[in-house]
Each structure stands twice: as structure tokens, then as C-alpha cells.
């Protein structure tokens, strides 16, 4: 089944962005009967701890995907409902409030979303999969306040064997983003992300990879700003995962930053 258009370049994007952090955190998950509870604590500047508490559960066919009390006292609520096969209705509320719909059938995936808090915009996307590992899609955003199109982009992806490539546009098709990933073997994968525009022919956003070593998953990347990042993801025990990250700008040790996260 084809993915949403927003996820058309998900594989290389996740490889280059996930598991890198400069925070120290502890996330604990626990099931209490049919209810899942999560407590996420982060150490801030000066050693102060801040926590957010969330839960998710289902009742009478309605899924409460996230009901969370944020560290600053605000609340987040995300719900979903599947009235018929292939159709999912959703609500996401936090700083804003959006109602949406996602429809999947065969090789087609479509979404629609409306800002119900400010009635400022409505957006939609579509993605279609074809034989040969090809997917084509696009999205459009209409500003209700300005009565004009505020955004529109398109993209395509190709997957064949160990190779994955995606080309998407940004800024009303003023830029072209190229994301690629190649699986060298079962242990090693590499990825790259570049941006191209009229003002700059090629801007290398990031180049990196992941190696599944006996001691854990090791990831590393180099960004366009010269920052070198590395992370180690290791299962300390069943359902206990450690993520350790370090980053540094070039060879300047004064810019070194670290992050440490434990999820259980």
C-alpha cells in the first residue's frame, strides 16, 4: 500500500534525522489495563527537570491516540475514528486545532485537513503508487484568509532493490529536494539529502549512514553547516533502549554537545 505524500521521502529522512539529540531524557511507558501511560522527563538548562505525561486508549471505536499534559501546562489531544474500511477521520488539538481525513485504497492515499481554530487554511494531498516501485504525488494548501493558494508542491519516489530515491519540491516548487538511500548490505545503509534552486545549484543538507554493529546501531552524519554528529542506539535489556548522541562543528572541541536518552 502506498504511503502518504508527506512520507514519500521518509526512509532517507528518518535515517538522517532520527536518533540525534542534545537533550538528556528519560521516557517511561507502562500499560495499565487497556490504557497506555507515558512519562517523558527532560533535563533543562541548569539541571531543572520538566516532564510531560500522556496516555492513549480506545473506547467505543474512538481512538485517543494522544492525550498529553505538556511541561508548560498546555494540553495536546489527538483522536481518530475509522467509520469505514480505508477511511480515517482525525482531530489534532494543541497550539492549533485541525480536523482531517485520510483515505487509502489499493495504490492510492489521500489526505485533507482543515484548521478549525482560526479557519485560516485547508490543505490536501494525494499519492499514487505504480508498478516498478514508482510513487507520484503532490499537495496543496489554500489560505482562507487570503483566498489564495499559499502552498503547492509535488514529488516522486523510486524504490528498486537496495536503492531508494525521492525528488520533492518546496516553497511553491521554487526548490527541489533530492533524498537517496542505498542499502549496502544487511548491516550498512547510507543516505544523502540535497537541495537545489535557482540561487544555489546544489546544497548538501546531510550525508550519513547507519551500521548495525554487534554492540548496537551506530549512526553518523555530516550536515551542510559542518556539524558532525554520531549516535549509538543500544538495547540494554528487553524494552529498554539507550540512545547516546554527540555532535561537534568541524574539529572545534569547544562546540561539542551531547545527548542521552533512555526509553523503557
Amino acid at each position: 500500500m502506498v504511503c502518504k505524500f508527506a512520507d514519500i521521502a521518509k526512509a532517507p529522512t528518518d535515517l538522517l534525522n532520527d536518533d540525534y539529540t542534545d537533550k538528556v531524557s528519560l521516557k517511561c511507558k507502562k500499560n495499565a489495563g487497556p490504557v497506555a501511560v507515558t512519562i517523558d522527563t527532560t533535563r533543562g538548562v541548569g539541571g531543572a527537570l520538566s516532564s510531560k505525561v500522556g496516555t492513549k486508549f480506545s473506547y467505543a471505536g474512538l481512538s485517543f491516540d494522544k492525550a498529553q499534559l505538556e511541561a508548560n501546562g498546555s494540553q495536546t489531544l489527538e483522536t481518530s475514528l475509522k467509520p469505514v474500511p480505508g477511511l480515517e477521520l482525525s482531530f489534532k488539538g494543541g497550539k492549533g486545532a485541525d480536523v482531517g481525513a485520510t483515505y487509502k485504497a489499493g495504490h492510492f492515499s489521500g489526505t485533507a485537513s482543515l484548521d478549525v481554530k482560526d479557519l485560516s487554511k485547508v490543505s490536501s494531498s494525494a499519492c499514487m503508487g505504480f508498478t516498478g516501485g514508482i510513487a507520484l504525488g503532490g499537495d496543496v494548501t489554500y489560505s482562507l484568509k487570503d483566498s489564495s493558494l499559499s502552498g503547492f508542491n509535488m514529488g516522486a519516489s523510486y524504490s528498486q532493490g537496495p536503492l531508494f530515491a525521492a525528488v520533492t519540491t518546496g516553497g511553491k516548487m521554487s526548490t527541489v529536494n533530492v533524498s537517496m538511500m542505498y542499502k549496502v548490505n544487511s548491516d550498512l545503509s547510507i543516505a544523502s539529502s540535497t537541495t537545489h534552486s535557482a540561487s544555489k545549484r546544489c546544497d548538501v543538507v546531510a550525508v550519513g549512514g547507519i551500521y548495525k554493529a554487534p554492540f548496537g546501531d551506530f549512526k553518523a552524519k555530516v550536515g551542510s553547516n559542518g556539524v558532525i554528529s554520531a549516535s549509538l542506539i543500544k538495547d540494554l535489556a528487553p524494552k529498554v533502549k539507550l540512545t547516546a548522541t554527540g555532535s561537534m562543528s568541524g574539529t572545534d572541541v569547544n562546540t561539542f554537545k551531547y545527548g542521552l536518552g533512555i526509553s523503557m
Side-chain angles (χ1 to χ4, degrees):
M1 183 175 291
V2 72
C3 65
K4 298 178 183 178
F5 175 70
D7 296 330
I8 200 168
K10 179 177 175 60
T13 300
D14 286 354
L15 192 153
L16 292 172
N17 293 329
D18 288 357
D19 304 312
Y20 293 102
T21 181
D22 58 0
K23 298 179 180 179
V24 176
S25 63
L26 173 64
K27 179 182 289 188
C28 300
K29 300 179 181 180
K30 177 66 176 179
N31 290 331
V35 179
V37 179
T38 301
I39 302 176
D40 193 349
T41 303
T42 302
R43 189 186 72 179
V45 179
L49 300 179
S50 61
S51 299
K52 51 187 178 182
V53 181
T55 183
K56 66 176 183 178
F57 58 93
S58 297
Y59 179 76
L62 178 64
S63 296
F64 291 82
D65 303 311
K66 179 187 288 187
Q68 185 165 278
L69 178 63
E70 306 292 346
N72 59 5
S74 62
Q75 297 88 33
T76 299
L77 176 64
E78 297 181 5
T79 63
S80 61
L81 176 68
K82 297 180 179 179
V84 295
L87 176 63
E88 180 181 88
L89 306 178
S90 63
F91 170 81
K92 294 183 179 181
K95 293 181 179 179
D98 299 301
V99 293
T102 300
Y103 179 71
K104 293 184 178 181
H107 298 289
F108 174 81
S109 176
T111 68
S113 178
L114 171 66
D115 172 17
V116 294
K117 180 181 179 181
D118 302 319
L119 293 177
S120 60
K121 64 179 180 179
V122 59
S123 58
S124 180
S125 73
C127 192
M128 189 76 183
F130 300 90
T131 56
I134 298 174
L136 300 174
D139 62 12
V140 60
T141 301
Y142 183 79
S143 174
L144 299 175
K145 291 184 177 180
D146 301 328
S147 299
S148 62
L149 289 176
S150 57
F152 47 88
N153 291 290
M154 59 188 299
S157 69
Y158 172 75
S159 179
Q160 188 67 43
L163 176 66
F164 177 89
V167 179
T168 59
T169 65
K172 297 182 180 179
M173 294 195 288
S174 61
T175 62
V176 176
N177 311 305
V178 180
S179 302
M180 301 187 69
M181 186 176 77
Y182 185 78
K183 189 174 182 179
V184 180
N185 52 47
S186 59
D187 296 326
L188 178 63
S189 297
I190 55 177
S192 66
S193 177
T194 59
T195 300
H196 311 265
S197 64
S199 59
K200 195 170 185 179
R201 290 186 178 181
C202 182
D203 182 15
V204 180
V205 179
V207 176
I210 179 173
Y211 175 64
K212 297 182 178 180
F215 54 82
D217 293 347
F218 178 75
K219 298 180 67 174
K221 70 174 181 178
V222 179
S224 60
N225 54 2
V227 175
I228 302 172
S229 304
S231 69
L232 175 65
I233 306 97
K234 181 178 178 59
D235 291 330
L236 301 178
K239 297 184 179 181
V240 180
K241 184 176 74 172
L242 167 71
T243 302
T245 305
S247 65
M248 186 169 63
S249 180
T251 57
D252 186 359
V253 295
N254 293 322
T255 63
F256 177 77
K257 296 179 180 179
Y258 73 92
L260 185 65
I262 296 178
S263 177
M264 64 177 64

